[in-house]
Amino acid sequence: MLQYQIIPVTPFQQNCTIFWCDETMQAAVVDPGGDIDKLIAFIGEKKLTLAKVLLTHAHIDHAGATQAMVDHFGVKIEGPHSEDQFWIDLIPEQKQRFGFTHAEAFQTDRWLEQGDKVHFGNIELEVYFCPGHTPGHVVFFHRPTKLAQVGDVLFRGSVGRTDFPRGDSATLIKSIKENLFPLGDDVRFIPGHGPMGTFGEERIHNPYVGEGVR
């Protein structure tokens, strides 16, 4: 069975998520933006074995501590999609702009595409390519528990910003409506910031992508 813990990190309170398999105790950390000491401490307290780092996209608050996690645990990086390479290259610039301390560019071990699968322990996550917030954004979905980690694509009552370089509002809305909502109204999602929600609630009431929007 999949277990998870949301650990807000960085001044942006980004929802870094640690997923683990309760049979093997193998884990994956999704979007380690910073505050690596918190992440290391939790992994140690739960006696987890970190298997990999997963990235939804490469904004610094989601990916800033990626290389630090790799250096500490000796694991590989999977994600995001290759279209986010330019954001990885910009991490040093983002670091200066936002005053981050331990943030480095990195080299992913596996770019992810629509339809890919990622594995740790006995857990399989499906990958959905959902550009718009960034051009290489991906979402992770655990079908047995109907749980998605959607990064900055969708929030409760809102959607991701598209005013960053290579963001696109129409593309983002298409990603949500065509790739996420069809997964089911009962899917719970962990957003990149803020509280969890369900696709059904957002499909009906979200002021940007809900049924009342024309």
Side-chain angles (χ1 to χ4, degrees):
M1 181 68 71
L2 177 72
Q3 305 291 332
Y4 69 93
Q5 178 69 40
I6 299 168
I7 303 176
V9 297
T10 83
F12 296 94
Q13 289 295 283
Q14 187 274 123
N15 286 335
C16 175
T17 308
I18 296 177
F19 286 126
W20 71 94
C21 167
D22 63 6
E23 295 173 327
T24 67
M25 302 304 281
Q26 282 201 359
V29 59
V30 183
D31 289 357
D35 295 332
I36 185 172
D37 291 345
K38 288 184 183 178
L39 308 180
I40 292 171
F42 181 84
I43 290 167
E45 288 165 8
K46 290 290 185 180
K47 296 182 170 56
L48 304 175
T49 300
L50 191 68
K52 60 189 61 176
V53 174
L54 303 177
L55 297 176
T56 63
H57 65 296
H59 283 163
I60 192 167
D61 57 324
H62 291 255
T66 297
Q67 189 59 49
M69 293 294 285
V70 169
D71 291 343
H72 185 87
F73 289 103
V75 295
K76 294 187 181 298
I77 307 164
E78 297 190 14
H81 184 280
S82 60
E83 287 293 325
D84 260 22
Q85 176 66 62
F86 84 103
W87 276 116
I88 296 173
D89 297 338
L90 284 172
I91 282 180
E93 182 181 311
Q94 295 181 69
K95 176 181 176 179
Q96 288 188 324
R97 180 180 176 187
F98 296 109
F100 277 61
T101 52
H102 302 95
E104 301 175 53
F106 54 87
Q107 183 171 345
T108 192
D109 295 287
R110 179 192 177 196
W111 297 116
L112 295 176
E113 305 270 356
Q114 175 83 11
D116 281 347
K117 307 286 177 62
V118 297
H119 299 89
F120 53 94
N122 297 323
I123 302 297
E124 177 181 272
L125 302 179
E126 301 172 15
V127 176
Y128 291 83
F129 179 43
C130 294
H133 176 67
T134 70
H137 201 300
V138 298
V139 163
F140 300 103
F141 177 54
H142 185 244
R143 190 169 291 274
T145 56
K146 298 184 178 179
L147 178 68
Q149 222 293 359
V150 303
D152 285 355
V153 173
L154 181 68
F155 304 100
R156 275 184 62 180
S158 189
V159 296
R161 290 175 58 176
T162 56
D163 57 339
F164 295 116
R166 295 185 62 193
D168 185 80
S169 179
T171 300
L172 180 71
I173 290 170
K174 181 178 180 182
S175 292
I176 295 167
K177 290 187 172 181
E178 296 185 5
N179 235 357
L180 297 188
F181 286 172
L183 294 174
D185 285 352
D186 55 348
V187 172
R188 296 172 301 135
F189 69 91
I190 302 168
H193 308 263
M196 293 177 64
T198 67
F199 287 167
E201 183 73 13
E202 302 311 310
R203 184 181 60 78
I204 296 169
H205 297 295
N206 189 292
Y208 298 92
V209 289
E211 290 179 347
V213 178
R214 293 291 180 264

